[in-house]
Amino acid sequence: MAEATPADSGGTPWVSTPPSDGSLRIRGGIGGLSFQFEELLAGAAALDALVRQLRSVELEADTVKHALFPYQSDPYTSGSNAIIAVGEAGRDVGRVRSQLQRIGDDVRASHREYEFAEARNALLLRLGFHGAEYGAAPEPFALPGVRGVVEDWVAMAPRNLAALLGLPAPLAAVVGALSGPADVRSLVRDVSEAPGLEFLKPRPVSIVGRETYSAAVDLSPAGLLRRAGTVGEPGGQIEVIEVDGGARPAWVVIIPGTQLDGPPEGANPFDPTGVAEALGYDSASTGAAIREALRQAGAAAGDQLVAVGYSQGGIHAMNLSRDRAVLADYDLKFVLTAGSPVGGITPEPGIRSLHLEHAQDWVPGADGLANPDTRDRVTVTLTNPLEVPPLKDFGLGPGHRLENYADGAELISASRDNTLRDSTAALAAVVGTGGRRR
């Protein structure tokens, strides 16, 4: 835990945000503010129990001191000295008790201030106020912080719509504050009900073919992300890897990003309309197909599972972390995503995840929500400079290129940061060192 107060200093321990690791900006995990506060609040609760015990000792010492008063007229060395010694011991216990109580109170006060600041900043953003202390300026085409800018604009969609409809700025700000962040899931469902947009609703997804062969597979975060690019080349395919060398049977599912080529429109579950199924309908059809693919590949009930996805595939992968049917059959341990808007997806407790984003990639901010800062969830924002590709290769922007994320994953694996080492170790504990493609 990154404490701002040195050990053995006697002062109250304070939390600090994880320091950047070169071009990697780290949020969540064992170094995240949320987990630090969890640990400190647990420590404060333990101090409370100790304070109660010390108060009992203090009261008992005072009782003993008063019981010695009749002996005050005895020889000084046996009467008064005993009363003085017991009184000083009681005061020493009282001083320790007061200091421990102050530390616990300070920790709780710090946590309240943190929660207040988070709520205040969220409210200010919904009201449309921007500044260095609570958000970026609303400039959707500005290069600095494209990912954060898009997230803010999506989150403030109710306010922006009110302003577009001609409401005065103060009233539009109030509308935004009362409406809260935009609910992208509900928005997608509402749009799919509009005339002519029914194609956005989930389509049946089935397994139409399979291929099995053995090959050496790089199961590092970078290797797994690069496989998402390879899987995405034919169109409409996922990859299931049977892991060799792990402590328990384990499987890895690789889900590609959005595909514009391949099968005719409507036949590829990963075409642009697949984003609507992922964001609006929790990947209901795709999740069922992935579960069937695992069964056909030979995965048994209770086997460990890792889900990996890039862009749209990352949304599908995270949706597996709360898919009751998948979790009933398999022990999903880890989810790895890159360039995916998954801030609104909350996995079941105990499922670890590592998310890669780039400060200049707008896609991860498209749901208007930042990834939660929790013990099991680590978000790494890449800040390395990017080269602007030719227009024909621009795609969704230079920040969204898969190879850039794979390079970032290599930096994560090589990092000495404790949060990143803990996260990658959790992945390695499941996948071991080798695998076989299904």
Side-chain angles (χ1 to χ4, degrees):
M1 180 169 60
E3 292 183 5
T5 306
D8 302 324
S9 67
T12 302
W14 300 107
V15 301
S16 61
T17 56
S20 296
D21 185 6
S23 61
L24 308 179
R25 197 165 65 229
I26 306 163
R27 186 170 183 268
I30 61 173
L33 290 176
S34 178
F35 182 64
Q36 290 183 59
F37 273 119
E38 286 179 18
E39 293 286 279
L40 287 176
L41 290 173
L47 286 179
D48 288 343
L50 183 56
V51 165
R52 288 192 294 271
Q53 293 178 16
L54 291 176
R55 185 180 294 278
S56 297
V57 173
E58 190 178 0
L59 292 174
E60 187 173 348
D62 188 65
T63 300
V64 171
K65 183 182 72 172
H66 282 81
L68 290 173
F69 281 167
Y71 303 96
Q72 190 171 10
S73 58
D74 287 0
Y76 188 82
T77 55
S78 61
S80 296
N81 275 358
I83 296 173
I84 293 171
V86 172
E88 289 180 347
R91 285 191 293 272
D92 288 341
V93 171
R95 281 192 290 270
V96 173
R97 175 188 57 78
S98 297
Q99 184 179 20
L100 294 180
Q101 188 168 3
R102 176 184 58 79
I103 291 175
D105 291 343
D106 286 348
V107 167
R108 290 188 179 86
S110 177
H111 183 244
R112 287 194 297 271
E113 290 174 4
Y114 167 72
E115 290 187 322
F116 172 79
E118 289 287 289
R120 168 185 174 272
N121 291 345
L123 177 61
L124 287 172
L125 284 172
R126 292 201 298 271
L127 286 169
F129 294 105
H130 299 268
E133 64 182 57
Y134 45 73
E139 300 175 16
F141 301 105
L143 271 180
V146 167
R147 183 247 179 270
V149 170
V150 171
E151 178 186 303
D152 292 346
W153 270 74
V154 173
M156 294 190 301
R159 170 193 173 275
N160 294 336
L161 178 60
L164 186 64
L165 293 175
L167 293 181
L171 184 56
V174 172
V175 169
L178 295 177
S179 302
D183 186 346
V184 173
R185 185 175 184 273
S186 296
L187 179 62
V188 170
R189 286 172 173 257
D190 292 343
V191 169
S192 67
E193 296 292 340
L197 297 178
E198 295 86 356
F199 64 90
L200 292 175
K201 293 183 178 180
R203 304 156 293 180
V205 180
S206 58
I207 308 298
V208 297
R210 53 179 286 194
E211 177 186 9
T212 302
Y213 64 87
S214 296
V217 178
D218 180 2
L219 296 176
S220 68
L224 292 173
L225 289 178
R226 288 192 172 100
R227 294 203 70 82
T230 303
V231 172
E233 291 174 358
Q237 294 188 7
I238 65 170
E239 185 173 64
V240 177
I241 301 172
E242 182 181 7
V243 170
D244 299 326
R248 292 169 50 197
W251 302 78
V252 180
V253 175
I254 309 288
I255 311 171
T258 301
Q259 299 166 351
L260 302 177
D261 303 320
E265 184 175 351
N268 185 348
F270 305 120
D271 64 16
T273 60
V275 178
E277 190 224 357
L279 284 177
Y281 295 91
D282 305 328
S283 304
S285 299
T286 301
I290 290 173
R291 196 167 75 254
E292 174 62 18
L294 285 165
R295 187 193 66 78
Q296 292 188 19
D303 283 356
Q304 296 182 110
L305 178 63
V306 170
V308 180
Y310 161 63
S311 193
Q312 178 190 152
I315 315 174
H316 293 303
M318 274 300 287
N319 278 331
L320 295 179
S321 71
R322 62 178 181 183
D323 186 318
R324 293 183 178 180
V326 170
L327 299 180
D329 290 342
Y330 304 106
D331 185 10
L332 180 59
K333 290 289 190 181
F334 201 95
V335 179
L336 172 65
T337 72
S340 305
V342 293
I345 303 174
T346 302
E348 289 297 310
I351 298 176
R352 305 285 295 271
S353 61
L354 173 62
H355 310 288
L356 279 72
E357 303 178 349
H358 196 286
Q360 305 304 338
D361 182 7
W362 64 270
V363 176
D367 60 351
L369 296 168
N371 295 334
D373 174 350
T374 68
R375 161 68 176 83
D376 292 331
R377 195 163 184 173
V378 178
T379 300
V380 179
T381 302
L382 311 179
T383 61
N384 59 292
L386 301 170
E387 293 184 4
V388 179
L391 186 60
K392 64 181 180 66
D393 299 325
F394 195 81
L396 295 178
H400 195 62
R401 297 173 70 89
L402 177 58
E403 188 56 34
N404 181 59
Y405 280 120
D407 292 342
E410 290 181 343
L411 295 177
I412 290 173
S413 296
S415 173
R416 307 301 296 174
D417 180 85
N418 288 334
T419 296
L420 299 183
R421 294 177 68 181
D422 176 73
S423 183
T424 54
L427 172 62
V430 180
V431 299
T433 58
R436 180 174 58 183
R437 183 186 188 276
R438 291 278 185 173

